[in-house]
Amino acid sequence: MLTKKELIDHIDETYNLSPEYIFKKFPDYCVFRHQKSKKWFGVLMSVPEEKIYDDASDHRVIDILDLKVDPELGGILRGKEGYFPAYHMNKEHWISVDLRKIEKLDELASLIDGSFKSTQ
C-alpha cells in the first residue's frame, strides 16, 4: 500500500514541489501544481470510502489521488482495480486512484509524470 508520505516525498524529490493545503474546509486535502502557471497536476484527498465505492459499508476514510490523464488511457485505467472516475474533477480527463490498491510507487510514477507534463 502506497502511503501519502511516500507520494508527497516522490513529488517533492522529482519535481521540487511541495503540497499546497489550500482548502480551509478540508485541511487534509492538498494540491500539487506548477509554480509558474499554478495549474494542478494532482490532488491528494482523504475521503469517505462510500464516495468512491458503491458497496462501501464501514465508513472508512481512504486516501485518493486525482491525476490528469488522456481520456483513452483513463478509460483503460478505470477498468483496473483501484482506479475510478475522478472525484470532484472532470471525469473525462481525470482519474482517482485509491492509494490502498497501489503496491509500489512505480505503478503511479508514470501517471504522475504524464499528469505533470500534460498540465504544463
Side-chain angles (χ1 to χ4, degrees), residues 1 15 18 22 24 36 38 51 68 72 74 81 88-89:
M1 179 173 81
Y15 306 103
S18 297
I22 61 174
K24 289 182 183 188
K36 288 185 182 180
K38 300 297 183 191
K51 298 286 186 182
K68 187 169 186 182
E72 189 173 314
E81 183 180 10
H88 275 303
M89 300 294 272

Side-chain angles (χ1 to χ4, degrees), residues 3 9 16-17 20-21 27 32-34 57 61 63 69 74 77 81 86 89-90 92 100 102 106 114 117:
T3 67
D9 288 349
N16 195 30
L17 293 170
E20 295 182 40
Y21 298 88
F32 300 98
R33 60 182 169 178
H34 299 276
S57 59
V61 173
D63 295 323
V69 294
L77 290 171
E81 183 180 10
M89 300 294 272
N90 178 301
E92 181 181 354
R100 298 175 307 169
I102 304 301
D106 295 349
K117 289 175 179 173

